[in-house]
Amino acid sequence: GNSVTQMEGPVTLSEEAFLTINCTYTATGYPSLFWYVQYPGEGLQLLLKATKADDKGSNKGFEATYRKETTSFHLEKGSVQVSDSAVYFCALSGRSSNYKLTFGKGTLLTVNP
Amino acid sequence: DGGITQSPKYLFRKEGQNVTLSCEQNLNHDAMYWYRQDPGQGLRLIYYSQIVNDFQKGDIAEGYSVSREKKESFPLTVTSAQKNPTAFYLCASSIQEDRGPMGTGELFFGEGSRLTVL
């Protein structure tokens, strides 16, 4: 079945540092890939997505590239802010799971001023 | 504004009591979902519904029940049979077309309900 493995946290950075959160997946076929963000006490919001190999999703300074050869979708940001402190979830959706989302366990990011 | 509304935001219940969490959406989405979130475990699917009057079990349906009598509503009942009900519950919805081969599977989430069993 489908699965998502993401970097375990927590991750603590200083403001303006570079961020990478690793995400790798196992799936048959060609899944769509997502990063969702959850701010404290709230539900999840879609941060970015990519639907085919080599696509780059981007939003709010975050980027992730769909790498089929390495089955990865790593999240990056060049300069994090305190307001980026949240839990980040990598997820995939594909035919083999009847298009239900499969989530990773989440990575808590804390950015200090 | 269109969106998903969950209520209550916080709920306390005594052991042995059933409790129902509300989820309403005005996005005109066909599919709706309930997830449970526990620290360090990510999100686990409880139930989902692709159309009115139909729903399917997810990965952890035991001790839960749902109904889908209206397109916009998908309430979740946590029964006394659920052995460890204290958790954060998230409702979500999606466009039915987005779930197929031409879609992306993107979900739209509510703000969640935190249930604590005393």
Side-chain angles (χ1 to χ4, degrees), chain A residues 41-101:
Chain A
E42 298 183 9
L44 277 68
Q45 305 172 25
L46 179 67
L47 180 60
L48 52 84
K49 65 185 179 187
T51 58
K52 59 183 187 295
D54 300 324
D55 268 3
K56 178 186 282 188
S58 61
N59 186 24
K60 298 181 181 180
F62 291 89
E63 292 183 340
T65 301
Y66 189 162
R67 301 283 188 204
K68 189 157 180 65
E69 64 276 13
T70 54
T71 62
S72 65
F73 193 54
H74 304 322
L75 182 69
E76 296 182 336
K77 186 174 185 182
S79 177
V80 293
Q81 305 300 313
V82 173
S83 57
D84 294 327
S85 297
V87 180
Y88 293 82
F89 292 92
C90 185
L92 70 82
S93 170
R95 171 182 279 187
S96 61
S97 63
N98 196 24
Y99 300 99
K100 297 192 301 292
L101 274 178

Side-chain angles (χ1 to χ4, degrees), chain A residues 32-34 36 38 41-46 49 51 87 89 93 95 97-106, chain B residues 9 33 35 37 40-43 45 48 50 88 90 98-101 103-112:
Chain A
S32 294
L33 301 174
F34 306 83
Y36 281 83
Q38 184 179 32
E42 298 183 9
L44 277 68
Q45 305 172 25
L46 179 67
K49 65 185 179 187
T51 58
V87 180
F89 292 92
S93 170
R95 171 182 279 187
S97 63
N98 196 24
Y99 300 99
K100 297 192 301 292
L101 274 178
T102 300
F103 287 90
K105 292 188 176 182
Chain B
K9 195 170 177 69
Y33 310 78
Y35 286 88
Q37 184 177 16
Q41 293 199 45
L43 276 71
L45 182 63
Y48 66 103
Q50 296 176 244
F88 190 52
L90 287 160
D98 234 11
R99 297 188 66 250
T104 65
E106 176 182 350
L107 295 185
F108 296 80
F109 283 85
E111 294 204 338

Side-chain angles (χ1 to χ4, degrees), chain A residues 22-33:
Chain A
N22 290 339
C23 172
T24 57
Y25 68 89
T26 302
T28 55
Y30 300 91
S32 294
L33 301 174

Side-chain angles (χ1 to χ4, degrees), chain B residues 32-49:
Chain B
M32 296 185 75
Y33 310 78
W34 275 105
Y35 286 88
R36 171 180 171 139
Q37 184 177 16
D38 296 283
Q41 293 199 45
L43 276 71
R44 293 182 289 169
L45 182 63
I46 304 172
Y47 270 98
Y48 66 103
S49 167

